[in-house]
Amino acid sequence: MYQDILKKYHEDLVENNGQMISRWEYFVAEDVAGHSKLDGKTRCMAILAVLLGCQGKEEFKRMLQVALDCGVSPVQAKEIVYQATAYLGMGRVAPFYKVVDKVFKKRNIVIADDRQTTTMEDRMRKGNDIQIAYFGEGMRDSWQKAPEATAHIQKWLAANCFGDYYTRAGLTDNQREMITFCFILGQGGCENQLRGHTNGNMNLGNDHAFLVDVISQCVPFIGYPRSLNALNVVNEIQKQREENK
């Protein structure tokens, strides 16, 4: 089933690359997905997020359609792109807004733009509450503990990154923290942030085995070097947590 859906949306690559694409599809659907304990929706959400992270626009378009056929809802797909804005910046995410809009239009998908749950007055408080839930009490009013020169960044993290994005309806806390892990994994070179969000995932119950499975699903789409770097981070954080018990 999954391999058939992959084939459907990768036909444009087959004409001049038949042997290689056939082997890649087998690797994705049989070796990688066959090894996984993730459900199909979670697998596809991780792949969409990591493709945003690595700026794989053309493959994102193909895998968006795979994801929709595998049960990822239009709202979930849209929220993945929205949340990427906080971690990748509009300069890199704007093209993906257009990709989603075009695919939705072709499929006659219309969704309401009604998932914002904060106001301008409470966004920082609600965002900070999420930071505390994910990363611990040490995050409470973090801007007050920061050096004066950088306190504004801590306020933005609470109000914008968490208050404007994480508070939105459409994805669960676990899903949001998982896709954030994938954004960071996909772009590479942000291992310190990956450590923080590995801890955040584990605090929410996305455990070591789950994160290894998520990384494994991303290997065919971002390659081995970034995947192996992420595995090292996840193993490092798991070891630290075990030592601190």
Side-chain angles (χ1 to χ4, degrees), residues 201-215:
N201 270 278
M202 291 180 176
N203 289 340
L204 292 175
N206 292 342
D207 64 12
H208 178 268
F210 175 85
L211 292 177
V212 170
D213 205 343
V214 166
I215 295 167

Side-chain angles (χ1 to χ4, degrees), residues 13-78:
L13 300 178
V14 169
E15 182 177 356
N16 298 311
N17 311 282
Q19 285 188 343
M20 192 67 259
I21 297 304
S22 175
R23 192 63 61 91
W24 180 85
E25 289 170 344
Y26 181 90
F27 176 54
V28 175
E30 300 299 328
D31 290 344
V32 177
H35 175 78
S36 178
K37 294 182 180 179
L38 300 180
D39 62 79
K41 289 175 62 175
T42 301
R43 179 187 307 120
C44 287
M45 290 169 68
I47 291 168
L48 292 180
V50 84
L51 287 169
L52 275 151
C54 76
Q55 294 292 279
K57 179 183 170 184
E58 293 299 320
E59 187 60 17
F60 177 90
K61 182 177 179 180
R62 297 184 187 95
M63 291 306 298
L64 173 60
Q65 298 182 87
V66 172
L68 293 170
D69 285 359
C70 287
V72 174
S73 75
V75 165
Q76 289 171 328
K78 195 86 166 185

Side-chain angles (χ1 to χ4, degrees), residues 63-241:
M63 291 306 298
L64 173 60
Q65 298 182 87
V66 172
L68 293 170
D69 285 359
C70 287
V72 174
S73 75
V75 165
Q76 289 171 328
K78 195 86 166 185
E79 286 297 322
I80 291 170
V81 175
Y82 284 173
Q83 187 160 319
T85 311
Y87 287 91
L88 307 175
M90 186 59 83
R92 287 187 285 176
V93 179
F96 292 84
Y97 279 68
K98 291 188 175 182
V99 168
V100 173
D101 289 344
K102 287 179 181 178
V103 169
F104 281 13
K105 184 176 181 179
K106 187 174 181 179
R107 288 180 172 234
N108 296 313
I109 294 171
V110 178
I111 58 175
D113 187 15
D114 62 353
R115 296 178 299 283
Q116 191 165 280
T117 67
T118 58
T119 66
M120 299 306 292
E121 290 71 34
D122 65 14
R123 61 201 274 265
M124 187 158 69
R125 181 70 270 148
K126 289 185 176 180
N128 191 224
D129 287 344
I130 290 179
Q131 289 179 298
I132 295 164
Y134 287 17
F135 304 107
E137 189 62 31
M139 292 301 298
R140 185 175 297 278
D141 299 337
S142 57
W143 54 92
Q144 294 181 1
K145 308 163 193 173
E148 184 178 354
T150 59
H152 64 290
I153 301 292
Q154 296 301 322
K155 287 183 177 180
W156 292 349
L157 279 168
N160 175 243
C161 185
F162 286 88
D164 289 339
Y165 295 95
Y166 278 83
T167 58
R168 292 176 60 84
L171 294 172
T172 67
D173 284 351
N174 291 65
Q175 289 169 339
R176 287 195 180 277
E177 191 60 1
M178 184 269 288
I179 64 171
T180 294
F181 178 88
C182 292
F183 298 146
I184 299 169
L185 156 65
Q187 64 182 313
C190 300
E191 278 70 28
N192 282 339
Q193 290 295 312
L194 196 63
R195 290 182 179 93
H197 285 281
T198 296
N199 261 318
N201 270 278
M202 291 180 176
N203 289 340
L204 292 175
N206 292 342
D207 64 12
H208 178 268
F210 175 85
L211 292 177
V212 170
D213 205 343
V214 166
I215 295 167
S216 300
Q217 301 313 301
C218 297
V219 170
F221 298 91
I222 62 167
Y224 289 95
R226 291 182 182 181
S227 302
L228 291 171
N229 282 352
L231 284 171
N232 286 338
V233 168
V234 169
N235 289 337
E236 172 193 324
I237 297 302
Q238 177 67 10
K239 182 179 179 181
Q240 290 175 3
R241 291 169 70 95

